[in-house]
Amino acid sequence: MSSHYESINTYLNRGIVEANITFAKAHQTSFCIAKFGFEVDLEDAFFFKDLIAFIHTELGFQTLLQQGNDTFLIILRDFKIHYAKKMLKKLEHNIKQNFKIEIKNIGMTLFDASDSYKSLLDRLDKYYIMSRLSTRKKIFYGTLDFDFYETQNKNDVLTSILHKEKAVTLYNLYNGISIKEEANIAKFDEGIAQLTVNAPKIFYYTKESFTFIQHDRIPNIIKAKIIKVDPAKSLLVLANLEFLDASPLDRSYTRVQPQKPINATLLLNKIKCIDGNVDTLSESSVVLHVKLVDIEKLIHKELVDKEFDVSFQIPTVKGFLTMISAKATIFSIINETIVLNIQPNTFMKTKIRQYVALRQNGLLVDLKQQLKHLS
């Protein structure tokens, strides 16, 4: 009986995947497919049921399939690989927050128009196996053209891709605000990229030292040094292209920098642990600049994995100060900087959202004035 069920499930899954392949080829669209592992304990079947319901909801009710006993497939229709990766990273974090478990092994790839069912699943299995064999808890991913984890010449890979599809998106950050700009590759040779940019915005890059590049067929965001700006030809010349496994573009919410210093306090069990200054703030995260001695205290006392309370005051539209408090966990520590994931209630989130909008409006006015001055 079990073997009969497994046979039906195998053909059911293949039929669904092949239907997505047929649709993508017929409509010249694409999709991402991911594979993750989770050991199911049927003695706690209701926990598994709740977990699957949570995953399905978090994915926006995209297709979720069982493949084998403890592996599952996710089909993300009309998703570019950047956004698929961002969604899976967010899913990982939310599962850890809500269920206190970790989904450790995830592989993902982007469908290519030349793919068959076998080639697509073989490539997916390769990334999933790499994730299982790795000691690092991370998502392994790639496309037909681009495999970040293979040892191959970066410039050869970029040349192959950029000659086929020249459209890219440039991103820069102005005090935390993401500025998006469509561009085209005019030339790429020996690690030097020449891009054509819309004339009105070319002046912005004279004030920047680097930019971020996003390409639909490259899984990683690329950071590049700006070595020349030619406003007359609307040309941008970039070098030192560097693949980033994580970047500011992965943020789920807009993060802004305060106009004036904001002090924040991190509490553990209602007892003050450390103080710091808010470097940047969004609805889901706070970045604190703290003293190195406080970082050492957190690590020495093994407090990095604890749940804290964070509190600080932010200005309102009318110029008053409002107190913000929220549960917080440490996402990462870099030198004297702590990145906190926060879980504000609805009221606190609304206040943060209003502050972010207030800062955005002010920053955009400043940016427009700078562009006007430059042009």
Side-chain angles (χ1 to χ4, degrees), residues 171-217:
Y171 289 87
N172 272 77
L173 296 171
Y174 179 71
N175 288 340
I177 295 179
S178 178
I179 300 170
K180 181 179 176 181
E181 171 73 12
E182 302 303 326
N184 282 288
I185 303 291
K187 184 179 179 181
F188 181 78
D189 186 34
E190 295 185 359
I192 305 296
Q194 296 183 22
L195 284 73
T196 54
V197 181
N198 289 335
K201 296 182 181 178
I202 189 70
F203 294 97
Y204 173 80
Y205 294 95
T206 62
K207 294 291 185 179
E208 295 298 309
S209 58
F210 62 88
T211 186
F212 296 100
I213 304 172
Q214 186 181 79
H215 190 286
D216 285 352
R217 303 188 71 81

Side-chain angles (χ1 to χ4, degrees), residues 268-287:
L268 183 62
N269 299 324
K270 299 183 179 181
I271 299 173
K272 186 170 76 170
C273 188
I274 58 175
D275 284 317
N277 287 319
V278 175
D279 191 50
T280 57
L281 170 66
S282 77
E283 290 180 45
S284 64
S285 66
V286 178
V287 178

Side-chain angles (χ1 to χ4, degrees), residues 225-362:
K225 182 180 179 181
I226 299 173
I227 60 173
K228 183 179 179 181
V229 181
D230 188 340
K233 297 181 181 178
S234 296
L235 200 67
L236 190 64
V237 183
L238 308 175
N240 299 345
L241 275 66
E242 174 190 1
F243 296 108
L244 304 180
D245 192 42
S247 83
L249 308 187
D250 290 332
R251 298 170 183 165
S252 301
Y253 298 97
T254 300
R255 187 185 292 174
V256 295
Q257 295 175 338
Q259 187 176 19
K260 297 180 180 180
I262 296 176
N263 180 261
T265 301
L266 207 59
L267 302 103
L268 183 62
N269 299 324
K270 299 183 179 181
I271 299 173
K272 186 170 76 170
C273 188
I274 58 175
D275 284 317
N277 287 319
V278 175
D279 191 50
T280 57
L281 170 66
S282 77
E283 290 180 45
S284 64
S285 66
V286 178
V287 178
L288 298 182
H289 186 76
V290 302
K291 295 177 182 178
L292 185 58
V293 64
D294 288 329
I295 297 287
E296 292 172 348
K297 181 171 71 173
L298 286 173
I299 296 172
H300 178 69
K301 293 186 176 181
E302 298 182 347
L303 302 177
V304 175
D305 294 324
K306 300 293 185 180
E307 183 176 70
F308 298 87
D309 290 288
V310 64
S311 62
F312 51 90
Q313 290 182 315
I314 55 175
T316 64
V317 176
K318 296 182 179 180
F320 299 110
L321 293 175
T322 183
M323 176 61 74
I324 299 294
S325 60
K327 295 294 183 183
T329 53
I330 296 175
F331 178 74
S332 65
I333 297 175
I334 305 171
N335 298 324
E336 297 176 353
T337 300
I338 301 176
V339 181
L340 297 172
N341 287 318
I342 61 173
Q343 297 177 322
N345 61 31
T346 303
F347 176 76
M348 298 291 178
K349 185 173 287 189
T350 299
K351 292 299 180 183
I352 296 174
R353 190 181 301 127
Q354 290 172 350
Y355 175 73
V356 169
L358 181 67
R359 285 296 294 136
Q360 278 187 291
N361 291 338

